[in-house]
Amino acid sequence: MYQSTLPGQFLSISESQADSIALQSNAEQVSYGDLKRRVDKVGSYFKQIGIEPGDRVALVIDNSVDYVTAFYAIWKVGGIVVSLNPQAKFHEIEKLIQQCEAKCLLIDKLNHANTEQLNQLSINMITLNQCDINGVANWSTALECEADNNWYSATEDTLAQIIYTSGTTGNPKGVLLSHGNLMCNVKDIIEYLELTREDSVLNVLPFHYCYGNSVLHTHFSVGGKVILAGSMAFPQEIVNTMREYKATGFSGVPSTFSLFLARSDWPQDPPPLRYMTQAGGPMGKELTQKLLQSSQPDTKLYVMYGQTEACARISWLPPHKLDEKLGSAGISLTHVDLEIRDENAQALPNGQKGEVYVKGPSIMQGYWNNAEASEQVLLNGWLKTGDLGYLDDEGYLYLVGRNSDMIKVGAHRINPLELEEVINKLGFVQESAVIGIEDEILGQKLRAFIVGEESRENLLALKKHCNEYLPTHKIPREIQWAEQLPKTASGKIKRYLLKS
């Protein structure tokens, strides 16, 4: 039986499973009971410095026990969590702090110059690094505060979190989620993943965006274990950690699994996982098949689709349907309604392509302080996703791209994902991205960015491959080699940066 909110569920689990391990890292392991005691202390400190229900508290902290402690402590006092990317430039962080009107900032590291800038915002500052800067509190002070057990009684309508969109367009917006939004999505995900207290997920996803956020709360809500792993810069170490801590689950984006297959012993000795989940953009059919063939026979792969505006997850593909429905984003969650509509917002029959619209209790409240943007995507309770797709005769969703990504070459509208899937079949190509650039005659022409070994031989092979598998108007006119593609924290390609 679930509580109506995630903080309520956390209190229930921390009482019934006080000795169960909640968080595991190389440095420490923390039980639910210990974590709750830390949360109580930090929450009491927040009260002392004047944090009240509805106040925004910004977290600029890498995945850690301290991050999770601060997160639930904000909820203890009824605050709204604003998780920001610790890898962002300081001026970006400062802009978002101003935009959400945060009353308090918790940050991994501060220096004197940054502090002077933030002092102009009249904001409480707490830093995790030991420092002696006037006006900045140390995290240790919060952890040593005398605890109380008084938790704010949040309801399903209480505002819980602001998650800034990944910003594939370069203009991040603050997605405002209620406790009811989060709890509904969490329960639906637990249902199809069949999560229990016996599950332990190894996590490399940043908690500050919706996929990692979802992994944390789904496993906490069943009393499972979250294993905090290191950087994907060392994929073999991640695979070793899976084995060492006996992880039952792993969640990743397509490039994550590509790295495992190319730079670790996963194909020779696949870890004994119960399940894997994949989201954060479409995974090519060939990579999906290669991952399945290289994994344990009883490891289930869940292909998923979602948006921050939908709290995380919109649809999922049942693992037993992977072969039959390869390339599909699956069926909608239990509490999500899904339709395909035309340009006039009229529902289309199965088989016809249009824009994906979704509705349900997990859909966001709107964008923080941005009524105009909210009105553009929220129509009579439906979320206008901007994603293009169609439903087959059995109601399975197939995505074909985004409205904003479509490239117009002459009279042709071209979906870059279709071209990238063709290019990525070449063995020397790790990944690719196709964009449209200005052309005086056609309006736009195609430029392909290739991550892989650059050589004249490979360039000729690429051109031959494109000529063989693509019609003339879909063949990239320019090829540019790249060491890596610019991506959001969720693994989506920042195409606007490629254009610049």
Side-chain angles (χ1 to χ4, degrees):
M1 187 68 182
Y2 294 104
Q3 303 298 314
S4 60
T5 67
L6 290 175
Q9 186 67 11
F10 173 73
L11 286 174
S12 175
I13 293 293
S14 64
E15 181 177 340
S16 63
Q17 294 179 219
D19 295 331
S20 297
I21 302 302
L23 294 164
Q24 174 80 60
S25 70
N26 289 332
E28 61 180 329
Q29 62 178 21
V30 180
S31 70
Y32 279 98
D34 287 340
L35 182 60
K36 198 261 183 184
R37 284 185 281 274
R38 297 187 193 194
V39 170
D40 278 335
K41 290 181 178 182
V42 176
S44 297
Y45 179 78
F46 284 156
K47 291 179 185 178
Q48 286 184 13
I49 63 173
I51 303 301
E52 298 178 347
D55 285 341
R56 275 75 60 205
V57 179
L59 300 181
V60 188
I61 305 173
D62 284 317
N63 287 9
S64 61
V65 173
D66 290 332
Y67 174 96
V68 178
T69 302
F71 193 110
Y72 277 88
I74 296 167
W75 278 352
K76 176 186 174 178
V77 299
I80 299 173
V81 180
V82 186
S83 301
L84 303 177
N85 185 357
Q87 306 306 316
K89 299 296 183 182
F90 188 79
H91 69 88
E92 296 174 307
I93 293 170
E94 183 184 16
K95 179 181 177 181
L96 295 180
I97 289 171
Q98 288 179 293
Q99 204 268 350
C100 74
E101 302 170 306
K103 192 171 182 178
C104 181
L105 166 68
L106 284 83
I107 189 166
D108 271 332
K109 295 178 178 65
L110 263 180
N111 57 43
H112 288 276
N114 293 342
T115 304
E116 289 179 9
Q117 289 178 260
L118 291 171
N119 276 333
Q120 299 175 18
L121 305 180
S122 300
I123 187 172
N124 289 296
M125 287 177 279
I126 305 168
T127 180
L128 271 63
N129 65 313
Q130 293 294 323
C131 68
D132 187 19
I133 302 176
N134 188 38
V136 178
N138 282 314
W139 176 244
S140 57
T141 304
L143 287 173
E144 293 165 1
C145 185
E146 185 175 347
D148 69 55
N149 293 314
N150 300 319
W151 281 62
Y152 178 78
S153 297
T155 69
E156 293 179 4
D157 296 328
T158 303
L159 300 179
Q161 189 172 10
I162 296 172
I163 303 179
Y164 278 89
T165 55
S166 300
T168 56
T169 62
N171 184 31
K173 297 181 285 288
V175 174
L176 187 56
L177 302 172
S178 70
H179 281 285
N181 292 150
L182 291 165
M183 194 68 208
C184 178
N185 208 241
V186 160
K187 289 192 293 186
D188 279 356
I189 295 168
I190 290 171
E191 178 184 27
Y192 71 72
L193 288 182
E194 301 177 302
L195 295 178
T196 72
R197 62 184 293 178
E198 303 303 320
D199 278 305
S200 54
V201 64
L202 187 137
N203 182 69
V204 296
L205 299 166
F207 287 147
H208 67 261
Y209 88 102
C210 69
Y211 193 2
N213 191 62
S214 173
V215 170
L216 173 66
H217 298 310
T218 49
H219 289 78
F220 264 35
S221 292
V222 296
K225 182 198 298 183
V226 178
I227 304 165
L228 305 175
S231 166
M232 277 303 299
F234 306 100
Q236 184 61 58
E237 290 186 13
I238 302 298
V239 175
N240 292 343
T241 304
M242 288 184 200
R243 299 183 184 120
E244 179 182 355
Y245 292 121
K246 296 180 172 58
T248 63
F250 178 82
S251 298
V253 299
S255 58
T256 308
F257 293 109
S258 181
L259 281 171
F260 283 144
L261 297 181
R263 301 183 186 177
S264 80
D265 64 359
W266 180 303
Q268 294 76 37
D269 185 18
L273 301 171
R274 181 181 73 80
Y275 74 91
M276 303 177 287
T277 70
Q278 178 269 311
M283 186 157 73
K285 294 178 182 179
E286 290 201 0
L287 178 56
T288 302
Q289 291 173 320
K290 188 175 180 181
L291 177 61
L292 285 172
Q293 293 164 1
S294 301
S295 300
Q296 297 271 8
D298 55 352
T299 297
K300 296 179 179 179
L301 172 61
Y302 292 83
V303 173
M304 311 184 302
Y305 158 63
Q307 282 194 345
T308 306
E309 289 86 345
C311 217
R313 215 48 59 220
I314 290 172
S315 68
W316 66 290
L317 181 59
H320 70 276
K321 288 282 191 177
L322 263 174
D323 289 335
E324 179 187 349
K325 303 287 185 180
L326 189 62
S328 171
I331 53 177
S332 59
L333 272 61
T334 300
H335 293 96
V336 172
D337 295 323
L338 190 153
E339 288 184 355
I340 305 298
R341 298 187 179 183
D342 63 17
E343 294 178 352
N344 299 313
Q346 298 300 307
L348 292 170
N350 290 352
Q352 288 196 26
K353 295 177 183 178
E355 186 169 351
V356 179
Y357 281 67
V358 292
K359 182 180 182 180
S362 59
I363 302 303
M364 69 169 181
Q365 305 300 299
Y367 295 117
W368 175 261
N369 279 351
N370 196 337
E372 182 180 354
S374 301
E375 290 170 3
Q376 289 173 357
V377 298
L378 293 175
L379 307 174
N380 300 318
W382 288 85
L383 172 66
K384 189 175 185 287
T385 67
D387 290 322
L388 303 175
Y390 65 92
L391 297 171
D392 70 9
D393 290 338
E394 296 181 89
Y396 281 77
L397 174 65
Y398 289 79
L399 297 170
V400 297
R402 282 189 65 79
N403 262 332
S404 59
D405 290 340
M406 298 299 284
I407 304 167
K408 191 168 185 181
V409 177
H412 303 283
R413 281 174 60 82
I414 297 172
N415 178 4
L417 297 181
E418 179 186 345
L419 280 61
E420 290 158 12
E421 185 171 347
V422 170
I423 293 171
N424 292 344
K425 289 181 179 179
L426 289 165
F428 59 83
V429 175
Q430 295 177 25
E431 58 181 341
S432 64
V434 177
I435 63 168
I437 59 173
E438 189 174 342
D439 182 83
E440 289 184 7
I441 299 173
L442 297 173
Q444 285 185 305
K445 62 182 177 181
L446 301 174
R447 175 185 289 169
F449 290 83
I450 310 296
V451 178
E453 183 181 347
E454 180 180 359
S455 69
R456 184 174 182 278
E457 181 182 352
N458 284 344
L459 178 60
L460 292 174
L462 173 61
K463 290 181 176 180
K464 180 181 178 182
H465 180 74
C466 289
N467 283 324
E468 185 175 351
Y469 289 99
L470 293 171
T472 302
H473 66 276
K474 291 184 179 180
I475 296 174
R477 299 305 165 195
E478 295 186 9
I479 304 295
Q480 189 165 324
W481 299 88
E483 291 187 7
Q484 60 183 12
L485 300 176
K487 294 179 180 178
T488 66
S490 59
K492 296 176 182 176
I493 298 170
K494 292 183 176 181
R495 295 180 191 273
Y496 73 94
L497 287 181
L498 293 175
K499 292 178 181 178
S500 62

